[in-house]
Amino acid sequence: MTEAIRPTVYIETYGCQMNVSDSELILGKLAASGYDEVKAPEAADVILVNTCAIREHAEQRVIGRLGEMKSRMKNDAILGVTGCMAQRLGPQILKSAKHVSLVVGPDGYRSLPLLVENARAGLRASVTDFDLEEHYEDFKPRRFDKVKAWIPVQRGCDYRCTYCIVPTTRGPERSRQLEQVVRETREIVAEGMSEVVLLGQTVNSYTDGRHDFADLLRAVGAVDGIKRLRFTSPHPNDFSNRVIEAMAETSAVCEHVHLPMQSGSTRTLKRMLRRYSREGYFECVDRLRSAMPGISMTTDIIVGFPGETEQDFEETLTAVDAIGFDDAYTFKFSPREGTPATKMPENEFVSDGVASERLARLISTVRSGMRERNLGSLGQRREVLIEKEARRGGLLQARTRDFKTVIVPGEANLIGTYATVELTGTTGSTFTGAIVRERAALPMAR
Ligand code: SAH
Ligand code: SF4
Ligand code: F3S
């Protein structure tokens, strides 16, 4: 009888969608090796914390969480740290946290079942080799989301933005074969989903040796049953006209692009080694907008990068105004050990007080622009995909093709279906809406 009891795993995920997608792969692998997923660390035989290293704050949260696990985990449970912080710190984690048995970087998940087994026998390990062939093609991901599917198409990053730790934690860029991505897309449709999000650090630099990102968009968009196709995050320099044409000509590609700008000052962009200027970024926005009128645009912005002057910062504010972003993720620069930015002259570092003040001004500029644009959309009708129950009861959270969140009344059985809504109100960032005409998930609205 005891043989029949399956071991359990609990996984907690920090960081970007790539990490979420990796957690889905890890769970898939462990499920195939006989593990059941549980939703609380207290109940788990194996606890995995899939970590992020992008900013100091992200790492602090994980360190706090690992400390907490000490009192929450079962006596004989195995605690493992995976992801970017695992890759960055490796054996250091084993040294400083004795209750951690495993440290496994992003390319080592194939050996997780074996490593866990060894850990049970008392063998602690840190596995941080990169494997440029590894795409986990044979893993069957256990997807958290039932409405849209994350598909990694590229791992690693070959850019060297001077503030960024990702090239260190994820290794060199490599892409999956187009056929594999198409295969996974077909499987997703068979599971009843109609939206996919292609993932990569600079996803539009995708190349499998024979196909570029334009080919990939067209191929995935041509899979029967795919209604919505998104991708994140593209790099401005990799938006060739071919890619933009493919976006415009592939009906499933949604009218939204997340295009990290980082700064509106050419001087700062140069020091960040972003490889485009303020004008170059504007030009990319223009090409996207003329190919897809009305496309919505979101971005990432860093304030307080070493050497950023008040004038540089104001150029970021004027860029935000001029472009009219629909939303922006805004960050204070966080020095990451080993990155070139940390070696810039000390007297150029921006004080935390100044950075905080700039962040507040940036957020207020982003918000007021967003509010103005959203007020202008009231009364319009949009197709939404109903994604999940909203935090407040009796309400559902839906999303337009251009990535606006709309809260609509309705029952949970509508989740996963499409509807037409009228935008009736806005809080500034999200909308409330009324369903105008319900319809089932259309096979293909070509
Ligand atoms: N590959 C993506 C970005 C991944 S990291 C791209 O190139 O666009 C997500 C965002 O975190 C970045 O766009 C950047 O705005 C922010 N970021 C990265 N490193 C940072 C650091 N050291 N300090 C503050 N923000 C950072
Ligand atoms: Fe980091 Fe730059 Fe690569 Fe993005 S493109 S992951 S910001 S190095
Ligand atoms: Fe964080 Fe790694 Fe993603 S550092 S943002 S989890 S690639």
Side-chain angles (χ1 to χ4, degrees), residues 14-16 18-19 51-54 84 165-166 169-170 201:
Y14 295 83
C16 63
M18 189 60 85
N19 247 18
T51 62
C52 172
I54 200 80
C84 291
I165 196 73
V166 171
T169 64
R170 295 252 161 199
Q201 292 303 338

Side-chain angles (χ1 to χ4, degrees), residues 67-88:
E68 251 173 63
M69 288 299 179
K70 204 185 280 188
S71 57
R72 296 184 64 174
M73 61 199 273
K74 294 197 294 189
N75 268 341
D76 56 351
I78 300 295
L79 175 59
V81 180
T82 58
C84 291
M85 209 176 144
Q87 184 69 36
R88 191 175 89 75

Side-chain angles (χ1 to χ4, degrees), residues 297-323:
M297 231 167 253
T298 53
T299 196
D300 292 348
I301 297 170
I302 298 174
V303 299
F305 185 77
E308 184 188 70
T309 62
E310 174 62 23
Q311 193 194 330
D312 292 326
F313 173 66
E314 279 168 18
E315 286 183 29
T316 295
L317 293 184
T318 58
V320 167
D321 266 337
I323 289 163

Side-chain angles (χ1 to χ4, degrees), residues 135-338:
H135 286 289
Y136 304 116
E137 292 299 355
D138 54 324
F139 286 30
K140 176 101 189 88
R142 299 265 301 211
R143 300 185 191 278
F144 301 123
D145 199 311
K146 301 289 175 246
V147 174
K148 62 172 173 292
W150 310 105
I151 304 187
V153 302
Q154 176 192 61
R155 299 181 73 86
C157 180
D158 277 350
Y159 279 83
R160 287 288 176 271
C161 305
T162 51
Y163 51 81
C164 187
I165 196 73
V166 171
T168 310
T169 64
R170 295 252 161 199
E173 174 186 324
R174 59 238 119 114
S175 297
R176 290 173 78 180
Q177 292 295 309
L178 177 138
E179 292 78 10
Q180 293 286 359
V181 179
V182 169
R183 167 193 56 83
E184 189 169 348
T185 307
R186 290 208 186 96
E187 287 168 9
I188 282 156
V189 173
E191 287 166 26
M193 285 183 270
S194 58
E195 172 166 338
V196 297
V197 188
L198 308 180
L199 299 178
Q201 292 303 338
T202 55
V203 69
N204 51 343
S205 69
Y206 170 93
T207 170
D208 70 354
R210 292 169 299 135
H211 308 99
D212 68 359
F213 193 62
D215 298 324
L216 187 70
L217 285 178
R218 291 182 197 275
V220 172
V223 171
D224 252 1
I226 287 302
K227 280 204 63 176
R228 288 187 171 193
L229 172 51
R230 304 183 189 276
F231 53 87
T232 198
S233 287
H235 191 287
N237 286 11
D238 295 307
F239 266 126
S240 63
N241 288 333
R242 254 178 74 78
V243 168
I244 293 179
E245 260 165 45
M247 288 172 68
E249 289 169 12
T250 304
S251 60
V253 171
C254 290
E255 295 74 25
H256 164 242
V257 63
H258 180 72
L259 188 63
M261 177 174 79
Q262 311 304 358
S263 168
S265 144
T266 296
R267 205 180 72 89
T268 306
L269 288 167
K270 241 187 209 141
R271 297 161 60 91
M272 290 176 160
L273 198 59
R274 283 295 288 182
R275 307 166 203 243
Y276 52 83
S277 61
R278 175 188 175 95
E279 291 69 33
Y281 186 88
F282 279 31
E283 188 257 347
C284 181
V285 168
D286 286 346
R287 281 190 297 130
L288 283 160
R289 282 185 169 158
S290 50
M292 273 166 293
I295 188 170
S296 76
M297 231 167 253
T298 53
T299 196
D300 292 348
I301 297 170
I302 298 174
V303 299
F305 185 77
E308 184 188 70
T309 62
E310 174 62 23
Q311 193 194 330
D312 292 326
F313 173 66
E314 279 168 18
E315 286 183 29
T316 295
L317 293 184
T318 58
V320 167
D321 266 337
I323 289 163
F325 288 112
D326 292 85
D327 205 350
Y329 297 89
T330 53
F331 310 102
K332 263 197 282 185
F333 168 69
S334 170
R336 310 308 294 131
E337 199 188 327

